[in-house]
Amino acid sequence: PDHLRLATTAPRRFSEYQLEVRTRHPRAYDPGSDAEDQRVIELHASGRTAVHIAAELERQPQAILARFERLGLATHQTAAS
């Protein structure tokens, strides 16, 4: 339906806090993709830490840890690594 298509194409509105976070992590709060999930899996398998993966993908380390959990990956890698 057209009303759903409009909802998915409307510009995103970020809070002041989210805008501040995005100065450090430009892709924070953007939706992920299957391709990005695959990249996370590859980087995790190669031994990269959540911090390194977050830097490469321009996301927050905690978001990468949450993605590890969602993807069933070991979460022993800390955000501070």
Side-chain angles (χ1 to χ4, degrees):
D2 288 335
H3 69 283
L4 293 177
R5 184 178 21 232
L6 293 174
T8 60
T9 59
R12 299 208 46 203
R13 297 187 196 278
F14 294 107
S15 70
E16 297 235 356
Y17 172 76
Q18 290 171 320
L19 290 171
E20 191 275 324
V21 168
R22 285 173 63 92
T23 64
R24 293 183 316 260
H25 311 285
R27 296 200 56 238
Y29 307 107
D30 286 346
S33 66
D34 292 341
E36 191 173 62
D37 283 349
Q38 188 58 42
R39 185 69 181 139
V40 168
I41 291 167
E42 292 167 0
L43 292 169
H44 182 274
S46 72
R48 302 290 297 271
T49 66
V51 167
H52 290 110
I53 295 170
E56 181 169 326
L57 299 180
E58 299 180 328
R59 297 209 179 258
Q60 298 176 74
Q62 289 295 19
I64 298 301
L65 289 171
R67 192 173 289 196
F68 284 176
E69 188 170 327
R70 183 174 57 78
L71 295 171
L73 303 173
T75 57
H76 62 276
Q77 300 181 33
T78 66
S81 296

